[in-house]
Every structure is written in C-alpha cells, then in structure tokens.
Amino acid sequence: MNFQRNDFPTGFLFGAATAAYQIEGHQFGGAGSTHWDTFAAGPGNVVRAENGALACDHYHRFAEDLDLTRDAGMDAYRFSTSWARVMPDGRNVNPEGLDFYDGLVDAMLERGLQPFQTLYHWELPSALADKGGWANRDTCAYFGDFTDVITDRIGDRVASIATINEPWCVAYLSHFLGHHAPGLRDIRAASRAMHHILLAHGTALARLRDKGMSNCGIVLNFDHTEPNDADPDATQAAATTDAIFNRWFIEAITKGSYPTEALEGFAPHMPENWQDDMELISQPIDSLGVNYYTRHMVSADQGAVWPHAVSEDGPGDKTQMGWEIYPDGLRSFLSRLAHDYVGELPIYVTENGMAWNDHVKDGVVDDQTRIRFIDDHLAATRHAITDGVNVRGFFYWSLLDNYEWAFGYEKRFGLIHVDFETLKRTPKASYHALKSAIAR
Ligand code: GCO
C-alpha cells in the first residue's frame, strides 16, 4: 500500500465491517426465522438457494475472528445486532441472543476494538414480515422496542450506533426491483418501505436520545450516477436515479424533505400524512456512515416503467460482482455530502470493498487487485480530507468472505478467506498489506 497510518489525521479509525446474518450462523442460539431464510427458500432468488443458517459460524468462532481483527492493527469493528436473534418473533426477548451480543461487545473491548453497532442490517423477523414487514407502519414502533431492548443491554459499551444499514436496499432493491428479501416488485409497497424505513430510523433515534445516547447515526449507500450519453432524456433519467438512490434518504434526514424527481413516481403510493413524520425523521444525527462501491451509467428507456431508466456498470475494470472500480466516486461523494448536506458532521466510510474469485494456494491468497483497490480508495478518502471533509474513519467491507445475499457464498469480499467446507480462516495478502500500512 502507498500510505501509512500517519498520512491520516490523528485519531482516524481503521476497521472492518460485517453483518449478523452474513456471518453468524442464524441456526444457533435460538434466533428466529428472518425474511432472508424464507426468501432464500424461494425459487431462483439466491444462487444455489443458500442461506445464512451456518454462514461463517462466527457465533462459535467470534474470538478467533476478533483476534484476527486486533492482530491486523485495527481500531474498530463494525457489526450488526440481529433483531431476529434478540427477538425471534420480533416482539419477545431471547435471553441467549442478548447474552451473545453482550459477550461479543466485551470481546471487542478486551482486544482494544471500538464497537460500531448497526441495529438493522436486514435481519427482519419472519413474524413481522407476515404482517407486511416494512410496508406496515407498525414495524417502525416494533423496531423502536427492539432498539430499547438491545441498547439497555449493550448501549453502555458501544462507540457508535447506526440505526439502519442501506435503506435504499431495504426499500427499493427489495420492494421495487425484487432482488433482495422480500422480493417484491410493487411500487406501493416500495413507496411505503421508502418512507417507513426512515420512520423506523427516526423512531429508533428518539428512543436512543431518551436514553441519553450521543453517538448515533445511520449508514447510507451511495452510487456514483452519470448519464450514459448526451441525450437530454439520459440526463433526466440519471437525475431521477440519483434522486432515488443518492438523495432520498440524506435529504429526508438533513432537510426533512424528499426530492421532487423521486416523489414524481412515489407520491401517489405514499402512506397518508407522511409529511407529519418528517420532523421525527430529520432529527439531528451525530455522524453519517457512507457505503460506497461503484459507478453507474444511466440511459433513458421511455418504454420501461417509471423511472424510465436503465443503469449499466461503468466502463472501467470490474470486480467479481461486475461492479466498476471507480475510486474518484468516493472522493466526490464525500465532498458532495459535506457541501450539500452535512457540513462539518463526522463522516465514516462504513463500507468499501470488492469481491474477487480468491483461492488459497500453498496457504496463500494473493489478492493483488484488492490491495490496489483499498490503496486507491484510501487515497480518495485522503483527498477528500485534504479538500476539508471531516472523514473520521474507514471500514473495509468485509472482514471475512461471507453470505453475499442473493449471490450466496460465491462472491468473496473478505480480507480473510473462509473455506465454506471446513470454515478455516486464511488471511489474504490484502490483510497483511493493510496491517503493515496501518501499523503504529
Ligand atoms: C450491502 C451491505 C453488505 C453487502 C456489501 C457488498 O451493501 O449490500 O451493506 O451487506 O454485503 O455491500 O454487496
């Protein structure tokens, strides 16, 4: 890597990110069924119909995983607390689930790792999916109750709490594009989910403030979006796509409004009196988490349903996901977010990383492409800091190869290789390179 820890401001945090369902093994510890278990069991939804029942068996191996995180010289670890593990039916507490997260947080602290918690990284209990999930307003209040229960147990020891991970994925990708659980392609359900997921954020944040928590925020994903050609229709399609993907959530949170380009499609299907919720949704946050992966080029397609747009991957080199590697997009988002929305508010890059078809050969995983990827995105982060953006930390996605949702176990994002037959962990060359770069 072409940087050292002291190229970053003092106190800048280096970490790695994971999510409960993707690594823990949801069959253990009395966790309840989630909508991902049932979605994975539906025809053609997930590669080989794989689910998170075993995943990386982090439930039993977390000590080893956190040892590896500490040994890499990291400062922080981003994880999620599964709602369905803590409350298997979404309403009643599973003491074993609370004990697990209690022990997990202590294990981080024992290793000098700051716990960065995410409350919802998509582990929706099936019992609540039965009632309509995020299309149902009641789910927001239930989420508030979950927030109370988990915070009463571990809130005294976590460094940061993000309410929701990637609301665009929760709402649009899952209820309009149908690629993630619950797999709907329905504009009414999508419009409701687009709003309710933010109401859930606002509800949880209010509960956290009632408990005096002052380290709270949300994690949003941003995709660099450009028109594919000079056609004015493409410019329009790109602007609408940008409004849905990149502006909807941050504008709601920081300005209490939704972009008109996006409301054009959603407004007729929004829940009644949604305007009354905007004050709760736009309460101040303490930090913003930014997930950034790639760039999309957008063309107009008047024959397609609203938003009359088709997105393609950009022209540059691709990862195993087929996503273009485009580090400049990270720099420009960090600047845009500071300039247009959050000003001096601390920003953390809470996810950035790439999948590659990694193999262990003679005990080594030589992932040079990932080393360059990380180096280039940390350079983009450094540039944003030089431009004056208040970026306080960077979390690589992900610590481990894991369950990549609809792609099953096929896409390897980890700094650490996981053999899904034996569950053996093998740190990749990128792990060692990052370790050397961030050594004190
Ligand atoms: C997301 C999630 C992660 C993914 C990662 C790679 O962005 O979808 O936060 O759970 O695994 O982003 O796709």
Side-chain angles (χ1 to χ4, degrees), residues 333-351:
F333 262 118
L334 292 170
S335 299
R336 178 181 174 190
L337 287 165
H339 183 268
D340 292 354
Y341 299 104
V342 300
E344 294 285 298
L345 192 81
I347 296 178
Y348 292 89
V349 177
T350 34
E351 282 181 32

Side-chain angles (χ1 to χ4, degrees), residues 22 121-122 165-166 169 291 293 323 351 397 404-405 413:
Q22 294 180 272
H121 202 126
W122 315 349
N165 178 70
E166 300 194 351
C169 293
N291 292 358
Y293 287 93
W323 297 349
E351 282 181 32
W397 181 272
E404 179 52 26
W405 307 113
F413 275 91

